[in-house]
Amino acid sequence: MNARTDTAALLPSQRHRLSDAHLDALEEETIFILREVAAAFERPALLFSGGKDSLVMLRCAEKAFGTKADGGCGIPYPLLMIDTGHNFPEVTDFRDLRARELGAELIVRSVEDSMARGSVRLAHPGESRNVHQSVTLLEAIEEFGFDALLGGARRDEEKARAKERIFSHRDSFGQWQPKAQRPELWTLFNTRLQPGEHFRVFPISNWTELDVWQYIARERIALPALYYTHPRQVVQRKGLWVPVTALTPARAGEQIELRQVRFRTVGDISCTCPVESRAATAADIVLETLAADMSERGATRMDDQTSEASMEKRKKDGYF
């Protein structure tokens, strides 16, 4: 598979040369952005899925705001999760655990509730709900009056994300206009809003997948177990290993195989695939990432393979 790497060849030299000194500057920038949002907006929220990027952002938020005098969570905004109903249970369980450990306010809104209201209608029962998170997110923004949402997207993930600002303005319909982005010269962020508008803010926008894993290793950040190697039944489909689950069963003629895999990203079960790997620690994954020749979304996300412009279209419609 194109995402599989030979880490053994990297071990002697890469361990000697690889430095994580740059992580201090990335962490400092992220903390600055997290504090800027707290100062500039009335009702921000931190998008928190329980995945690796949101856990890195959460660690930076802990450092940015510390704890209250009574020992409670010092993060001044709630955590928000848009649940498709098809998320990996290991991830949602871990999300709940971390929120409880921090004593943070966790708000969960479900695509299934939007379906019950009729604001989301699937083309067919097996359709991925991933794209429909936009509707539920916009409903949550209206319900709580959020004026800024902090997300864990990074520029190295995908072309559309690569050209988005750190402070990404959204109009009153929640839409992103790529040609009408506001300049961010000298780290001066334009946070002006009209009624009904909001910002999507990406504090780890300048991080790479390698940076994220180096930071996880350095900070010893706990993650859901499926980020690390484990045996799983899969089938090969369109060049990807598709997990065999109740939501994604094997099709006629497909051969089920038991492989050692891990997930590079943990989105909706219906569109997220693992990669072959025997990496059991964050340090192992750092070495794998050094040799990877495809972004994590390109290597694992079926919903990004529909067209070159699929992500940009979804973002224009209100996606994360």
Side-chain angles (χ1 to χ4, degrees), residues 16 58 80 96 118 129 132-133 135 151 186 196-197 286-287:
H16 176 70
L58 189 65
L80 173 65
D96 295 343
R129 300 177 181 179
H132 297 293
Q133 293 178 89
V135 174
W186 307 293
E197 298 177 342
V286 166
L287 296 180

Side-chain angles (χ1 to χ4, degrees), residues 36-97:
E36 187 76 2
V37 168
F41 296 97
E42 293 183 4
R43 183 60 171 164
L46 190 152
L47 293 168
F48 181 65
S49 65
K52 71 180 190 308
D53 296 315
S54 62
L55 284 163
V56 163
M57 197 163 60
L58 189 65
R59 172 59 58 85
C60 290
E62 291 181 76
K63 292 188 176 186
F65 302 109
T67 57
K68 295 180 180 178
D70 61 4
C73 178
I75 300 173
Y77 25 72
L79 312 182
L80 173 65
M81 164 67 169
I82 304 300
D83 193 338
T84 66
H86 290 170
N87 296 92
F88 289 95
E90 300 96 324
V91 178
T92 53
D93 289 347
F94 197 87
R95 171 204 69 193
D96 295 343
L97 173 64

